Amino acid sequence: MKFKRTIIITGGAGFIGSHVVRLFVNKYPDYKIINLDKLTYAGNLANLSDIENKPNYQFVKMDICNFQEIYELIKTQHADGIIHLAAESHVDRSIKDPFTFAQTNVMGTLSMLQAAKLYWESLPEKYEGKLFYHISTDEVYGALEMTHPNGVTPPFTTKASSQSKHMAYGTAFFTETGKYQPHSPYSASKASSDHFVRSFHDTYGMPVIVTNCSNNYGPYQFPEKLIPLFINNIVHRKPLPVYGKGENVRDWLYVVDHARAIDLIFHKGVIAETYNIGGFNEWKNIDLIKVLINTVDSILGRRPGEDMDLITYVTDRAGHDMRYAIDSTKLQRELGWEPSLQFEEGIEETVKWYLDNQAWMDNVTSGDYQNYYKEMYETK
Ligand code: NAD
Ligand code: DAU
């Protein structure tokens, strides 16, 4: 079959990547979607079992750092679009092992860029109809302060968005023109990769887009991240390791809404632009954790709040960023994107998904996965 486009999605076996691959494979049967993934501990093909036999889907096990293999793949597949998600993504791991983050996130991104450049520049039409779309994070902007405007105690409602329920913990937000001030080895590596992507536009004229998104939640997230880790611990009545005082604020977005934004921006975004993606949905960790406990308890038929005593305050994460808050007005105004789910609905769906998919959870927390998981997390 002749496909209209061939798109390589890197990191497609991971959390966000699997939602992006699923959306593109189902929505665009006339596109060939190649999922390029090394299958690190975070990559799991079970995340895509529902679409693995679709005729427009192909999985390729490959390391983004292997420039020669990447180049051959892009060339032989005549790829005209790249959506680059492959990365090391967990801040705690970056604190223990920064080298791997520099290698994958910086050198891997550079190898993807250089391979695409060499192939696209060899074509008669060169960069026409091509796009290198880089998925990045709000963490590159650093951390925001918690503020009390006119003495009001946060959270307070703001007029910063069209979302009627927008609650904020400060008056400043991350915008696309904000200064890069990464603090963790993870965010420093992502910041560096963003700069490389933009440099390929400015130096070689490569059509690129960068998006910076807030914290995602939803099905298929590896249980090292706050929400799936805590859901699983509540189910099994294990301690919930809250870093510091649990006062840090994160801005949460349902992963399917991130995938919808990526689809929209891939097709309608303006070359060389940056778009921030976020749900205007700030939560203090401890408040979010209480919502999780109540939700899990009530779905399991326990007394809501019965498991509050699992909350265990532990040593804070080194360099723990206080507050993230994305201003996604540009994306909403220019491309008409809106989050589809209110947070309460998204959290309930997410908790139900993890409870209904205990086999998926058991698989990633057992066997080969278990040793790594134990080593990283048993001490919490
Ligand atoms: P994840 O850790 O769940 O998945 C990462 C995927 O990349 C895995 O499938 C892994 O096997 C693959 N991978 C890692 N190293 C690779 C390599 N060298 N070669 C090929 N594949 C490799 O990550 P995620 O949470 O889905 O994040 C995906 C992207 O989105 C990352 O770039 C991350 O920085 C960014 N992001 C994540 C969030 C979030 O809240 N999770 C928010 C904003 C941006
Ligand atoms: O903001 C986007 C970023 O969100 C992404 O770029 C990262 O890839 C993603 O991992 C996420 O980073 P965070 O560090 O914010 O996510 P994490 O789930 O690790 O932690 C969320 C908050 O919860 C953070 O303030 C730390 C806290 N936390 C986390 C864990 C795992 C705890 O208190 N205890 C925990 O055990």
Side-chain angles (χ1 to χ4, degrees):
M1 174 172 173
K2 177 117 178 65
F3 290 102
K4 201 164 126 195
R5 299 194 72 169
T6 298
I7 300 167
I8 295 178
I9 300 179
T10 72
F15 166 49
I16 302 172
S18 64
H19 288 276
V20 177
V21 167
R22 175 175 297 101
L23 178 66
F24 273 70
V25 165
N26 286 330
K27 189 169 170 185
Y28 303 106
D30 50 349
Y31 289 5
K32 180 170 183 184
I33 303 301
I34 300 174
N35 171 11
L36 185 168
D37 200 295
K38 182 183 172 184
L39 298 182
T40 67
Y41 78 93
N44 184 354
L45 288 178
N47 296 357
L48 289 165
S49 52
D50 54 326
I51 57 112
E52 66 189 1
N53 294 322
K54 296 263 179 166
N56 63 334
Y57 171 71
Q58 186 184 344
F59 170 69
V60 176
K61 187 172 182 328
M62 202 174 278
D63 185 340
I64 55 167
C65 299
N66 190 330
F67 167 76
Q68 204 53 47
E69 282 188 9
I70 296 290
Y71 173 69
E72 290 301 325
L73 182 77
I74 294 177
K75 191 170 83 168
T76 52
Q77 292 291 336
H78 308 289
D80 50 28
I82 291 170
I83 305 180
H84 178 43
L85 295 106
E88 289 292 335
S89 69
H90 192 39
V91 174
D92 292 336
R93 286 177 192 262
S94 81
I95 294 167
K96 291 190 176 174
D97 175 19
F99 280 110
T100 304
F101 282 70
Q103 178 65 16
T104 299
N105 298 358
V106 185
M107 295 308 288
T109 299
L110 182 53
S111 131
M112 291 297 306
L113 285 163
Q114 182 71 358
K117 168 184 178 288
L118 286 189
Y119 172 57
W120 290 341
E121 284 189 347
S122 74
L123 300 171
E125 78 275 19
K126 305 224 178 282
Y127 289 120
E128 206 187 307
K130 312 295 185 294
L131 178 62
F132 191 104
Y133 178 178
H134 179 60
I135 307 301
S136 192
T137 172
D138 59 358
E139 301 201 10
V140 298
Y141 299 119
L144 295 164
E145 296 291 318
M146 310 267 257
T147 47
H148 299 65
N150 307 319
V152 178
T153 307
F156 46 82
T157 47
T158 79
K159 294 198 179 93
S161 82
S162 56
Q163 299 293 103
S164 55
K165 291 184 76 175
H166 181 200
M167 301 299 281
Y169 282 82
T171 44
F173 301 92
F174 295 139
T175 64
E176 288 83 357
T177 52
K179 197 169 152 190
Y180 270 38
Q181 291 181 303
H183 297 297
S184 72
Y186 163 68
S187 53
S189 68
K190 291 296 291 186
S192 174
S193 67
D194 294 9
H195 292 317
F196 268 109
V197 173
R198 294 190 180 107
S199 80
F200 268 61
H201 171 266
D202 297 351
T203 308
Y204 309 111
M206 180 184 282
V208 306
I209 291 179
V210 177
T211 55
N212 298 82
C213 188
S214 62
N215 284 61
N216 286 216
Y217 71 96
Y220 302 110
Q221 188 168 30
F222 192 78
E224 61 186 352
K225 309 282 167 64
L226 180 78
I227 290 184
L229 174 71
F230 278 35
I231 292 173
N232 196 39
N233 283 11
I234 299 163
V235 170
H236 298 290
R237 294 205 149 117
K238 286 161 68 176
L240 306 176
V242 181
Y243 297 163
K245 295 182 180 152
E247 300 273 309
N248 304 63
V249 169
R250 294 292 181 268
D251 184 357
W252 294 94
L253 179 68
Y254 193 58
V255 62
V256 173
D257 282 328
H258 188 188
R260 286 176 48 247
I262 291 172
D263 173 24
L264 182 65
I265 293 163
F266 181 81
H267 289 95
K268 301 263 166 58
V270 176
I271 300 301
E273 287 292 320
T274 296
Y275 299 91
N276 280 355
I277 309 173
F280 288 109
N281 178 44
E282 293 177 48
W283 283 80
K284 208 184 255 197
N285 289 343
I286 193 65
D287 295 335
L288 169 58
I289 290 161
K290 287 177 183 166
V291 171
L292 287 178
I293 294 172
N294 282 326
T295 311
V296 175
D297 282 348
S298 47
I299 294 175
L300 289 181
R302 300 175 186 169
R303 181 177 54 77
E306 193 178 326
D307 289 308
M308 288 295 171
D309 59 357
L310 295 175
I311 292 175
T312 309
Y313 292 94
V314 299
T315 310
D316 208 353
R317 172 185 279 174
H320 198 171
D321 285 336
M322 194 62 212
R323 170 176 171 249
Y324 301 147
I326 275 276
D327 182 347
S328 58
T329 311
K330 176 177 171 179
L331 176 60
Q332 302 201 344
R333 194 186 51 232
E334 295 184 8
L335 300 185
W337 174 87
E338 285 278 349
S340 66
L341 276 190
Q342 288 294 335
F343 187 62
E344 290 72 10
E345 298 169 76
I347 278 294
E348 188 157 340
E349 282 208 12
T350 300
V351 169
K352 282 187 180 149
W353 188 88
Y354 285 101
L355 297 181
D356 290 346
N357 290 276
Q358 194 61 52
W360 179 92
M361 180 64 86
D362 291 344
N363 179 42
V364 297
T365 55
S366 66
D368 283 347
Y369 276 118
Q370 200 176 29
N371 292 334
Y372 204 101
Y373 186 84
K374 267 192 176 153
E375 197 182 298
M376 286 293 290
Y377 302 107
E378 197 98 296
T379 48
K380 274 186 184 168

